[in-house]
Amino acid sequence: MKREISIREIQGIRIGQTEDREAATGCTVFLAEGEMAAGLDVRGGGPASRESELMNPLAAAKTIHGLVLAGGSAFGLDAAGGVMQYLEERGIGFDVGVTKVPLVCQADLFDLTLGNAFVRPDKEMGYQACICAEEGNYRDGNYGAGCGATVGKFLGMDYCMKSGIGSYAVQIGELQVGAVVAVNALGDIYDWKNGRKAAGLLAENRKEFRKTEELMYASTEIKENKFTGNTTLGVVITNAIFQKPALCKIAGMAQNGYARAIRPVHTTADGDSIYAVSVGQIRADQDLVGTLAAEVVSEAILKAVYSAESAYGFPSWRELCASSHK
């Protein structure tokens, strides 16, 4: 029987995060307790990433040592340097004789329009997130990579809502599958179980919703610049044993979770990406894990919206909708 569990119950990985609330940015770090096999699927047209080619099934590396989700757009990719320093100091990495080189992958979202555009996740923040991972300080909401996350930005930042980072995990027998998602979409967020809109583009009174898709359909005019702050990033974690090719497929199936909960999704202005990592030895059917991955991703997206708090002048679901859902 399937049951919900905490993302913290999945063994073999530690999650830490830190943020600069004044600057409205942060990072979330995933560290393997040893090594982890990993795959990647990118569907958005504007990703900001580091070491993505390590996820290519043809690349020599079979495992990696760390993952980073962060804000700061491409500027925030410096955070991985701090994660590498932390791991090298502990003798973790690919042995090249003179040292060990930690293999750390990273993907960033665009949050430069919220706080201070010139303060971004850096080496120090990445290192501190690793320290936080020692105790496992992960929380849903306005934390880590979700600190500056917003949704519903088709008309710019004036009518968007505050989002955050969210998690969800399930267990069937010994099998565990979970997801952590930083939700920073151009589009609107929907509860995939009932079709109800949960967050996104606001009406002019900033208290009611408009539908992004309907506005898109109303005109064939080309909107030249949609880069007001986009990209949803996710990590699927399982204790099932898979190698890189299978994990790339599982990450691709997990993108169905984005499609269920975000509309529109995978646009040219989003860098929508999902990593899938294996941190255990349980044997499981690949299609079962991929199907569960889509489900936990959808639920993690909703958790990110429901856990977010209003900030930086942007209202949250808690402020606008929570009372009507009691």
Side-chain angles (χ1 to χ4, degrees), residues 2 9 11-12 17 23 43 57 116 151 155 213 224 273 319:
K2 183 179 67 175
E9 294 183 55
Q11 301 297 309
Q17 49 192 8
R43 304 262 174 116
N116 187 337
V151 295
L155 296 181
E213 288 175 312
E224 296 291 348
S273 305
E319 177 183 340

Side-chain angles (χ1 to χ4, degrees), residues 238-307:
T238 182
N239 66 346
I241 183 168
F242 293 109
Q243 300 306 314
K244 187 164 42 173
L247 289 165
C248 287
K249 177 60 177 175
I250 289 169
M253 293 180 72
Q255 291 275 7
N256 294 332
Y258 280 9
R260 289 173 183 169
I262 305 171
R263 302 205 299 265
V265 70
H266 303 144
T267 74
T268 58
D270 290 298
D272 298 332
S273 305
I274 296 181
Y275 296 92
V277 300
S278 169
V279 293
Q281 298 295 318
I282 302 298
R283 287 180 52 82
D285 182 79
Q286 177 180 326
D287 293 327
L288 167 63
V289 174
T291 300
L292 288 172
E295 178 181 333
V296 296
V297 163
S298 296
E299 293 288 358
I301 289 170
L302 291 174
K303 187 71 74 68
V305 167
Y306 295 154
S307 301

Side-chain angles (χ1 to χ4, degrees), residues 91-176:
I92 298 172
F94 181 77
D95 194 344
V96 293
V98 293
T99 187
K100 291 184 178 179
V101 181
L103 303 181
V104 179
C105 299
Q106 181 171 346
D108 286 359
L109 54 80
F110 190 110
D111 57 7
L112 301 179
T113 51
L114 269 74
N116 187 337
F118 299 100
V119 176
R120 303 105 179 203
D122 56 12
K123 185 175 182 180
E124 181 180 355
M125 185 178 282
Y127 190 94
Q128 185 57 44
C130 293
I131 297 296
C132 292
E134 294 175 3
E135 300 298 327
N137 77 330
Y138 175 82
R139 293 178 64 186
D140 296 328
N142 298 20
Y143 301 99
C147 182
T150 50
V151 295
K153 289 165 282 192
F154 185 70
L155 296 181
M157 299 300 288
D158 290 339
Y159 301 105
C160 70
M161 286 179 65
K162 186 69 183 75
S163 181
I165 194 167
S167 65
Y168 193 84
V170 296
Q171 182 163 340
I172 301 177
E174 293 183 296
L175 173 65
Q176 296 174 323

